[in-house]
Amino acid sequence: MLVGIHQPHYLPWLRYFEKIDACDVFVVLDTVQFTKNGWQNRNKIKSAAGELLLTVPVHAKSSSRIVDVAVDNTQQWQRRHVRAIEQNYSAAPHFNSIMDQLREYYAKPYPSLAELNTEMLQFWLVQLGITTPTVRASELNVDGEATDRLINLVRAVGGDSYYSGAYALDVYLDAGKLEQAGIGLMLQRWQAPKYNQLHDEFLPDLSIVDLLMNT
């Protein structure tokens, strides 16, 4: 059984969903350290001027785990994000069908970043027709660091193979440890597909918002 594991991202890009769709089980890795200026609380949509970054304000220390990061709801970030999406995608062919539902998610209070990202993830999966089961790492009794943690997570959900981004081999993934543990390794080879976008030149790896609004 093939297992994918990835940190929860805000408004993820298509590559993230290809990983989920390719797997039998997907683990939302919310027990690792929060990365400031990473993709856990921000992502890019497209405007007439190019990429536009939407960021969720959070309360987080440098050592905070993602599951412990609180959303700063004193700021009107939800209203700003809805307005930005409306302004930049109102002419998109699927704006009305997606936006009506998306507004409901932005109307909800989210005390934590992990809750925001995992709840919205289910919305995106339904829109894409992806039925892969997902589980949060915080719901599993798993310890370890780096590759050891991945091995333990794969085993915890009954998997025997791990689906990884190719970049991980250069950063933190020890393929030898996976082999010793009897865990197979499959690498994601990604090239962003082109599709019709608003605002002229195609930009790859934007938020899933861009894909769904346009196609």
Side-chain angles (χ1 to χ4, degrees), residues 14 18 25 41 82 97 104 126 134 141 149 156 169 175 178 198 212:
L14 186 55
E18 191 280 336
V25 178
N41 69 318
V82 168
S97 61
E104 296 180 11
V126 169
T134 63
N141 187 22
R149 178 179 10 230
L169 287 173
L178 287 174
L198 298 175
L212 290 176

Side-chain angles (χ1 to χ4, degrees), residues 7 32-41 62 64 66 69:
Q7 301 160 11
V32 295
Q33 186 173 322
F34 173 75
T35 303
K36 184 179 180 181
N37 297 327
W39 301 109
Q40 296 153 6
N41 69 318
S62 59
S64 296
I66 298 171
V69 172

Side-chain angles (χ1 to χ4, degrees), residues 56-70:
V56 179
V58 297
H59 297 293
K61 298 178 181 179
S62 59
S63 59
S64 296
R65 299 185 307 164
I66 298 171
V67 71
D68 300 321
V69 172

Side-chain angles (χ1 to χ4, degrees), residues 19-189:
K19 178 182 282 190
I20 299 176
D21 189 42
C23 294
D24 299 300
V25 178
F26 182 77
V27 178
V28 179
L29 188 58
D30 58 357
T31 53
V32 295
Q33 186 173 322
F34 173 75
T35 303
K36 184 179 180 181
N37 297 327
W39 301 109
Q40 296 153 6
N41 69 318
R42 63 180 190 163
N43 225 308
K44 300 175 291 184
I45 62 171
K46 190 178 184 183
S47 72
E51 295 177 349
L52 177 64
L53 196 63
L54 300 182
T55 302
V56 179
V58 297
H59 297 293
K61 298 178 181 179
S62 59
S63 59
S64 296
R65 299 185 307 164
I66 298 171
V67 71
D68 300 321
V69 172
V71 174
D72 182 0
N73 288 310
T74 63
Q75 302 187 43
Q76 295 185 336
W77 66 271
Q78 288 159 299
R79 181 179 298 179
R80 292 197 301 270
H81 290 198
V82 168
R83 186 183 302 121
I85 294 171
E86 290 175 338
Q87 289 175 344
N88 290 291
Y89 290 100
S90 60
H94 301 283
F95 173 79
N96 289 328
S97 61
I98 297 298
M99 199 66 217
D100 287 346
Q101 298 175 76
L102 195 53
R103 287 190 190 98
E104 296 180 11
Y105 281 83
Y106 277 112
K108 298 179 181 181
Y110 297 99
S112 75
L113 181 62
E115 290 178 52
L116 165 65
N117 288 348
T118 53
E119 184 162 340
M120 292 191 77
L121 175 62
Q122 298 308 312
F123 171 70
W124 305 123
L125 293 177
V126 169
Q127 299 305 312
L128 292 167
I130 296 174
T131 58
T132 303
T134 63
V135 60
R136 290 172 60 172
S138 56
E139 298 171 349
L140 304 170
N141 187 22
V142 170
D143 55 13
E145 297 294 331
T147 303
D148 291 329
R149 178 179 10 230
L150 298 179
I151 291 171
N152 293 337
L153 286 169
V154 170
R155 287 173 171 167
V157 295
D160 54 23
S161 298
Y162 173 58
Y163 190 45
S164 172
Y167 67 90
L169 287 173
D170 299 322
V171 181
Y172 65 86
L173 186 64
D174 188 334
K177 277 191 174 183
L178 287 174
E179 184 177 4
Q180 291 172 8
I183 303 295
L185 176 62
M186 182 182 294
L187 296 179
Q188 182 187 41
R189 305 295 184 181

